[in-house]
Every structure is written in C-alpha cells, then in structure tokens.
Amino acid sequence: MSTPSRQTAGTLGLRERKKQATRAALSAVALRLALERGIAQITVEEIAQEANVSLRTFRNYFPSKAAAIVDLAHNRADSFVAAFTARPAEEELWSSLTQALLALYPEEPDRNWTARMRLLRNEPALAAEEYKADLAVQARLAQAIAERAGSSVNSDIMPSLTAALVLATAHAALEFWLGSGAGTSLRETLSDAMRRAQPRLPGATDAAAQP
C-alpha cells in the first residue's frame, strides 16, 4: 500500500476538521433551541436552518434531533477514554480512572451545562440517546482497562465490571449534585463518590483515590 502524499494527508485533515466543525455547530444549535423552547417544540428542519445547512446535511450527521442534542456526550466519552489512557501506567487503576473523570470538568459547570443536564433527566428521548452514548463509552473504557492490565474483555470480566462501576458512580454523583443543592463543587462530589465506590481491584492499595 502506497503512503499518502503530504498534500493528500493535509486535505483529509482539513476535511475532517470541517466535518467536526459542522457536527459541533449542529449539536450546539440543537441544544440551544431545546433549552429555549423544549425538545417537543423544535424540528430538525429548524435546527438545519439555524445552522445554515441543508436538511440532507443534518441527516448525514444525526438520525434525530435527540441525537444532535446529546452529541456532546460522545465528545465527553472520547475525552474520558483519552484522559485515562494518558495516565501513568504505574498509577493505581482506580486513581487513574478518578483523575480521568475529573479531567472532564476542569472548571465548575456553568448554568447552561446544568440546564442541559436537567433537560436530559426530564426528556425520555434524550435519556435514551444518553444511554446509547454510555454503552459506547463503557465498551471503549473496558477495552482500555483490559489493554492496560494486559488482559482481554473476552477472557476477563473485571475490565467491563470496572468500566460499568465508574459510569454508574459518575451518574450517581451527577444526579446527587444536580438535585441536592449541596455546597460542594461538582469535582468534589465526583471525587468523593469515586472514593466511596472504590473496589478492591487486583493490585489495588487500601488508599483512597485522591483528586
């Protein structure tokens, strides 16, 4: 197989960046309109028009308005897995997972983010799309955990169990933070939840994961 020329590689890179920008713009418009009017009051035609693209272009990226609204969840999944794989190999596993989770929220979420989370909790269609995103990130995270441990998701259940536990802990912490009105920050809530949920993994120490 021949190696692509630098010009071809550059063209492909530019094309991909444009596609990502279009996808992000559509998702941002969909989220904004949903927050302003409610998901039932918007159409995919309106989303496409607001984003200055054709309806066909919208359909190329998303099968529904709900999928467009929650697309940031997929971006979050990419960031989470990337942050985990970037952690030092010698670091205790649960600590690496905790730090990767906290890396998703370097700053306290703003009001728009909070409103989006409340929207996701109250709209069944959006919750279903979020669930699909969770399944995808759980599978990818389990694979990353298995690779780090030198095992396989097909021969060892621990990577899948660990990935599922991390996501369940994160969801519980988010739900608690959104609904309790607690004075702690989201990062503090997540860190405390991960500390409490820490399992006894192979090679784990008794020390709690630190933020």
Side-chain angles (χ1 to χ4, degrees):
M1 181 181 297
S2 61
T3 302
S5 67
R6 295 182 62 180
Q7 181 179 1
T8 301
T11 301
L12 290 174
L14 177 60
R15 185 182 299 118
E16 184 60 30
R17 288 195 296 273
K18 287 183 176 179
K19 289 173 62 177
Q20 291 177 352
T22 300
R23 186 182 188 93
L26 284 167
S27 183
V29 168
L31 175 58
R32 175 174 60 80
L33 292 178
L35 292 175
E36 290 174 355
R37 307 182 202 170
I39 186 174
Q41 307 305 318
I42 63 173
T43 65
V44 293
E45 289 82 2
E46 289 176 309
I47 296 171
Q49 184 177 7
E50 286 277 339
N52 294 315
V53 301
S54 67
L55 180 58
R56 181 178 179 180
T57 296
F58 178 93
R59 296 294 189 191
N60 286 338
Y61 287 93
F62 302 110
S64 67
K65 58 186 176 182
I69 291 169
V70 303
D71 192 56
L72 288 178
H74 294 276
N75 294 336
R76 194 167 65 245
D78 292 338
S79 299
F80 183 27
V81 175
F84 170 69
T85 57
R87 299 300 302 177
E90 65 276 10
E91 186 176 45
E92 192 272 323
L93 177 61
W94 196 253
S95 292
S96 291
L97 291 166
T98 298
Q99 294 306 313
L101 182 61
L102 293 177
L104 297 179
Y105 309 100
E107 299 178 355
E108 196 69 1
D110 61 18
R111 292 181 181 274
N112 287 335
W113 188 91
T114 303
R116 174 180 174 273
M117 292 304 301
R118 293 192 182 280
L119 182 68
L120 286 175
R121 290 197 305 169
N122 296 329
E123 291 285 353
L126 298 186
E129 288 295 334
E130 186 83 353
Y131 178 67
K132 291 179 185 178
D134 280 347
L135 289 180
V137 68
Q138 182 174 317
R140 292 177 56 199
L141 182 59
Q143 182 63 39
I145 292 171
E147 290 176 358
R148 172 166 165 164
S151 63
S152 165
V153 293
N154 295 323
S155 61
D156 184 3
I157 196 173
M158 280 305 298
S160 295
L161 286 175
T162 303
L165 179 58
V166 171
L167 292 186
T169 302
H171 278 302
L174 286 167
E175 288 289 332
F176 176 78
W177 182 77
L178 286 171
S180 69
T184 58
S185 68
L186 176 57
R187 283 176 59 88
E188 291 171 330
T189 303
L190 287 169
S191 181
D192 181 59
M194 288 291 285
R195 177 182 61 79
R196 296 185 184 213
Q198 182 176 12
R200 285 191 174 275
L201 298 170
T205 65
D206 291 332
Q210 298 297 320

